[in-house]
Amino acid sequence: MTTAGIADTLGAPLRVNSVTIKNRIVLGPMAVLRPTADGRASDQSIAFLERRARGGVGLVIVGGAVSSARGWNESPFTPNLRFDGDEYIPDLARLVDAVHGAGAKVFAQIFPSFGRMGVPRGGARLIAASPKPVVLGAQGLPDHVYVPGGRITPVPDEATAADIAQIQADTVAASLRARAAGFDGIEIGAHMCYFYSSFLSPLANQRTDGYGGSAENRARALRDAVAATRVAVGPHYPIGIRVSVNDHMPGGQGPEGFAEVVAHIVPAGLDFVSLSEANYESMAANVPSRSGTMLDHHEPQIFRAALGDIPLFLSSTPDPQQAADAIAAGHADATMLARQLLADPDYANKVVGDRLSEIVWCDHGNSCLRRLMTNVPVACHKNREMGREDPHAARATLPQNALIWASGNALLMKIADTAARMLPARPTH
């Protein structure tokens, strides 16, 4: 495919239910928005998203957000953007207006609980499909990311029927707030090791009731949430889900199994599926250092065969040639980017404008990820503007920057890992 063909393919409009997106390049949800301490959209939140919209993306999916008080209280990083109260709607509307004004559509990621990745602050009760913790990076970590001594998360309680019903109610209520704020659609987060994700794979779901066992049962909690949201928002409002498509773990579920589960959810009212690779136990696969791994694993192809023509958002494919070829072949309908759009907010304009030689490429040094993991304001060494889109935004301090450098140094992290493993083990519950 010529560069002009790439521009034509990725520049073509895409319709999702009643919404037309101007091109096939999507800003994926990331926890880099730096909202206010009480969870409202800040000037930096808005400036960051507006900049990517001006850079040409057709759709912005807003992440780093929570849709319940539970999610706010158990989040492993703070602060988050809040959708769990009507008082947040005016600031969310201000965010939406800015993205619309810059020419992009905007969806909200609805995220009710961190599940197996939650932090039990003040003795709070964590819930998931089954009482199974996460062994962080069990199958490897991304390049330049280290967890000295390893980490095992606290063991969650098995969610009761009442817990599941409450999460569903929170999801529906937050979706209605997103619609009231002017968001063009919503995406329910069911990826990585979070609450809804914990139901989808037998690796995390060991239940023997109506929420465990068969693919249909493992789909039930998320399917019911989609169905209830569809009733609440009406037939024309876009609803999608973000799902992991492969555990990449011994004994885990592959793309055929995940696609079978999602096939039970589609009839409840889905309009699109965002494909997310792996989870926190297989982070090396989730945050690859080369483009096209998802296509190499045939995951979009398998989902297409199982789900038919529902729009699929491809991840892990910043190479425009690969993304355009996948869309032209019918394997996916849009390419969804994260780190690449930190490095170059004008990526979409350059691709659609047939200016590929001008793209500033992410080098996968993953300092952005280390900053997220340590609650340090996110920046990008390939883009000095990143994190400073609003000139008044707080910046990382010198000690914080020194920490980020040290946490990416292999020798220092090897020493830290050795020291950490000499300490007594801590209880996980």
Side-chain angles (χ1 to χ4, degrees), residues 114-326:
F114 287 87
R116 300 167 66 205
M117 287 299 295
V119 176
R121 294 188 180 88
R125 174 173 165 266
L126 301 179
I127 56 172
S130 298
K132 188 172 182 182
V134 174
V135 181
L136 192 67
Q139 294 300 303
L141 293 164
D143 289 346
H144 314 293
V145 174
Y146 307 91
V147 180
R151 183 190 166 202
I152 301 176
T153 65
V155 179
D157 290 344
E158 180 176 286
T160 65
D163 291 330
I164 296 169
Q166 183 60 60
I167 293 290
Q168 178 177 304
D170 291 336
T171 298
V172 172
S175 299
L176 289 171
R177 292 187 191 100
R179 189 181 66 170
F183 283 89
D184 300 294
I186 61 101
E187 171 190 272
I188 300 173
H191 57 304
M192 301 299 282
C193 297
Y194 304 133
F195 180 78
Y196 278 126
S197 175
S198 71
F199 287 85
L200 305 183
S201 169
L203 191 68
N205 184 344
Q206 300 166 350
R207 300 173 76 105
T208 57
D209 62 1
Y211 293 100
S214 68
E216 182 178 8
N217 282 358
R218 285 181 278 116
R220 191 178 308 279
L222 184 53
R223 184 194 65 205
D224 289 352
V226 170
T229 303
R230 173 57 70 204
V231 170
V233 300
H236 305 301
Y237 193 70
I239 299 175
I241 57 173
R242 178 172 300 265
V243 292
S244 297
V245 298
N246 194 335
D247 282 327
H248 286 290
M249 290 282 292
Q253 183 168 252
E256 296 85 356
F258 278 103
E260 181 184 5
V261 171
V262 174
H264 288 287
I265 301 170
V266 171
L270 274 189
D271 294 309
F272 69 94
V273 179
S274 294
L275 308 177
S276 178
E277 183 82 291
N279 58 51
Y280 282 110
E281 293 183 302
S282 46
M283 282 187 70
N286 176 255
V287 188
S289 289
R290 64 180 180 85
S291 179
T293 56
M294 182 172 279
L295 292 165
D296 291 344
H297 301 146
H298 300 287
E299 293 149 350
Q301 297 93 318
I302 289 166
F303 266 70
R304 176 65 77 213
L307 304 184
D309 61 359
I310 186 170
L312 301 177
F313 293 177
L314 175 71
S315 63
S316 305
T317 313
D319 183 329
Q321 175 82 66
Q322 291 177 325
D325 286 346

Side-chain angles (χ1 to χ4, degrees), residues 98-123:
V99 174
H100 283 167
K105 301 297 185 183
V106 56
F107 289 178
Q109 186 178 85
I110 304 301
F111 193 87
S113 170
F114 287 87
R116 300 167 66 205
M117 287 299 295
V119 176
R121 294 188 180 88

Side-chain angles (χ1 to χ4, degrees), residues 376-401:
V376 171
V378 175
C380 175
H381 63 270
K382 298 300 291 287
N383 173 18
R384 292 183 59 81
E385 178 191 67
M386 169 58 212
R388 306 174 181 180
E389 288 83 359
D390 173 58
H392 304 295
R395 302 179 184 182
T397 64
L398 283 175
Q400 285 176 323
N401 285 328

